[in-house]
Amino acid sequence: MSDWIDRLPQAARDFVAGRRLDEVECILADIAGVARGKAMPASKFARQDKFYLPNSIFLQTITGEWADNPAGAFTEPDMILTPDFSTATAAPWTADWTLQVIHDAHDQQGNPVPIAPRNVLKRIVALYAEKGWKPVVAPEMEFFLVARNIDPNQPIIPPMGRTGRRAAAKQAYSMSAVDEYGKVIDDIYDFAEAQGFEIDGILQEGGAGQVEINLNHGDPVALADEIFYFKRLIREAALRHDCFATFMAKPIEGEPGSAMHLHHSIIDAKTGRNIFSDERGAETPQFLHFIAGMQKHLPAAVALLAPYVNSYRRYVPDFAAPINLEWGRDNRTTGLRVPISPPEARRVENRLAGMDCNPYLGIAASLACGYLGLVEAENPRAECLGDAYMSEDELPYNLGDALDIMSESAPMRGVLGEEFTAVYESVKRNEYKEFLQVISPWEREHLLLNV
């Protein structure tokens, strides 16, 4: 791999130009979207074309426990990890000159590991390719900047701003609210530039210390890689300024939750035309089929879009979160929104996904629903023209119910992969069981002396 530097993206080459590269972080995302892997001296990385990790990393829960292996014996065979040089990017917050490289995971026979989240997304993209389609996504990332919280028994509170006051809520789109933690935002911009990422916009959201970052549209796998990297760089930027960045769906009681809205369009691979618009610029039947697939199959995908017990605290009325499967044009109360756009950019926005989801799995699940809709060629129910917040709830209320619906959906298991869905369910049921064993402050406050 002596010529590996020449295979890097331009931003990574610029980062190491004229410098002695110290370290390379060889990483991939686990089920939770946490970066797992190995860091090694750059000189060693240059001498090898692969390394090994046990496939059991995909059975580890968010608490560090190990879920049961649905395949049986827990033998922990090694996977072969090879660098995807197109993903190489700087780690500009480190003391040494360091690059990060996302790796592809294969088994010892050379087959993609089916339970690796990045491979799950590639599987869905390949299903589209077989039909002659190229999916395009554009994500919106919401997160909170919060005061350091080193005691989990204490509530999360907003960070201190430059005025010496806590960040205030109900300041959506306020420029002065963003300026309260402008130094964090400056570092986010600087880190993103060093990594070669383009931010489409940053704005203040409705929660106290809540920020939204929009990314440009593009290839689903490349955008999932960016979100995976962005979560890390945002956390590092916050730590430089004595606060935390959190991607929890609902970190602060009484505040809105954080979503990862996903905009979807589909391109005909031969013509380059958006299949949601015809030659006259009108909506196509495929546009409606995609929406119908979302309405029909999203309940089976919620376990991936809302992967933790906390995720369902976001699905409550009157907190700007969709709790329905209605669709509408330029209607933010619907779970499926069709934004204003020219015909070539016609798209569907899925507003259900939480920012706490693994970006590979969230995008894969959302695209899977649309794919099934295109294949089944059904029509959605009538467009919602009013307030969809008043609609009946159609989504599972908790993680256990969401996992039940996913496990009972043969179409969803089929497109995501039976082996993956079995492992995912095992990991999430283990986490749910652990949560149910914890006694909450609410229970101690109201039940201890009253029942």
Side-chain angles (χ1 to χ4, degrees):
M1 294 198 344
S2 58
D3 63 342
W4 68 276
I5 292 290
D6 297 332
R7 301 162 65 185
L8 302 181
Q10 186 62 51
R13 293 203 304 270
D14 290 344
F15 179 73
V16 300
R19 300 185 177 105
R20 178 183 177 275
L21 182 64
D22 295 296
E23 189 173 73
V24 178
E25 296 178 344
C26 307
I27 57 177
L28 77 168
D30 70 1
I31 292 294
V34 173
R36 306 280 181 183
K38 295 180 180 179
M40 62 184 68
S43 57
K44 180 181 179 182
F45 179 81
R47 294 194 304 270
Q48 64 182 60
D49 58 1
K50 62 181 178 293
F51 77 99
Y52 303 92
L53 276 184
N55 69 2
S56 58
I57 66 170
F58 299 120
L59 287 167
Q60 197 164 18
T61 71
I62 197 67
T63 66
E65 299 299 323
W66 301 96
D68 294 333
N69 186 356
F74 195 66
T75 58
E76 295 193 86
D78 274 340
M79 304 177 291
I80 298 174
L81 301 186
T82 54
D84 180 347
F85 286 104
S86 69
T87 70
T89 187
W93 50 83
T94 58
D96 298 325
W97 295 102
T98 303
L99 287 178
Q100 310 169 81
V101 183
I102 295 172
H103 280 52
D104 288 316
H106 292 83
D107 63 22
Q108 295 172 29
Q109 288 72 48
N111 305 305
V113 174
I115 58 178
R118 195 168 187 254
N119 288 342
V120 174
L121 178 54
K122 287 184 175 182
R123 173 189 174 97
I124 300 299
V125 172
L127 291 176
Y128 277 87
E130 290 172 4
K131 299 290 186 180
W133 301 323
K134 292 175 60 177
V136 175
V137 300
E140 301 173 5
M141 302 185 298
E142 296 176 354
F143 60 94
F144 277 86
L145 297 173
V146 301
R148 282 181 177 267
N149 181 282
I150 58 175
D151 182 357
N153 291 312
Q154 297 301 313
I156 304 296
I157 60 174
M160 195 72 74
R162 64 175 185 169
T163 60
R165 294 185 174 186
R166 298 283 175 195
K170 300 178 181 179
Q171 298 294 320
Y173 305 105
S174 166
M175 300 308 298
S176 60
V178 173
D179 290 341
E180 280 289 285
Y181 27 85
K183 290 184 178 180
V184 180
I185 303 299
D186 288 344
D187 277 351
I188 289 173
Y189 271 120
D190 289 345
F191 289 165
E193 182 178 1
Q195 293 185 247
F197 301 149
E198 185 176 349
I199 295 174
D200 193 48
I202 292 182
L203 58 91
Q204 169 71 33
E205 263 293 346
Q210 189 180 30
V211 179
E212 178 180 304
I213 293 180
N214 299 327
L215 302 182
N216 286 322
H217 64 276
D219 173 77
V221 177
L223 265 298
D225 289 340
E226 280 200 26
I227 298 169
F228 173 60
Y229 278 138
F230 257 106
K231 282 190 169 184
R232 193 175 188 194
L233 80 85
I234 292 168
R235 287 194 184 98
E236 292 291 340
L239 287 173
R240 281 194 169 191
H241 300 281
D242 199 35
C243 62
F244 289 167
T246 180
F247 302 95
M248 281 178 65
K250 187 83 165 183
I252 302 178
E253 183 178 334
E255 297 285 356
S258 289
M260 185 177 72
H261 296 160
L262 295 169
H263 295 248
H264 297 298
S265 57
I266 310 298
I267 302 300
D268 184 297
K270 289 183 178 180
T271 66
R273 180 180 60 84
N274 183 347
I275 70 171
F276 291 167
S277 299
D278 64 19
E279 292 81 358
R280 297 176 290 108
E283 295 172 355
T284 62
Q286 289 172 308
F287 172 70
L288 296 176
H289 298 336
F290 190 93
I291 294 173
M294 289 279 192
Q295 287 186 326
K296 181 177 179 180
H297 296 288
L298 270 172
V302 166
L304 294 104
L305 302 176
Y308 304 103
V309 290
N310 178 263
S311 306
Y312 298 84
R313 300 189 187 280
R314 178 176 156 258
Y315 291 157
V316 294
D318 303 321
F319 272 95
I323 52 174
N324 62 77
L325 295 173
E326 301 294 343
W327 76 279
R329 298 172 179 84
D330 196 26
N331 186 343
R332 283 183 169 82
T333 70
T334 58
L336 303 170
R337 172 177 172 256
V338 179
I340 297 173
S341 69
E344 63 273 14
R346 181 169 279 117
R347 61 195 186 274
V348 179
E349 178 189 8
N350 177 359
R351 297 171 63 81
L352 295 179
M355 196 60 226
D356 54 346
C357 76
N358 180 321
Y360 300 102
L361 299 181
I363 294 174
S366 192
L367 284 173
C369 295
Y371 171 82
L372 289 169
L374 289 169
V375 171
E376 294 164 350
E378 298 176 358
N379 286 322
R381 52 183 185 251
E383 178 186 3
C384 176
L385 300 176
D387 185 354
Y389 287 146
M390 305 301 292
S391 303
E392 293 184 9
D393 296 345
E394 302 177 83
L395 302 174
Y397 289 106
N398 57 63
L399 181 58
D401 291 346
L403 290 169
D404 289 343
I405 296 172
M406 183 185 76
S407 68
E408 294 165 2
S409 173
M412 187 58 61
R413 295 200 317 271
V415 293
L416 293 175
E418 293 284 354
E419 188 173 348
F420 164 74
T421 51
V423 165
Y424 187 84
E425 183 180 354
S426 179
V427 168
K428 292 300 166 182
R429 289 202 186 278
N430 183 291
E431 291 175 357
Y432 192 46
K433 181 177 68 175
E434 284 191 66
F435 171 78
L436 292 176
Q437 295 171 355
V438 176
I439 309 302
S440 70
W442 186 95
E443 292 165 275
R444 290 191 290 270
E445 178 179 353
H446 297 290
L447 305 181
L448 182 66
L449 300 177
N450 293 330
V451 299

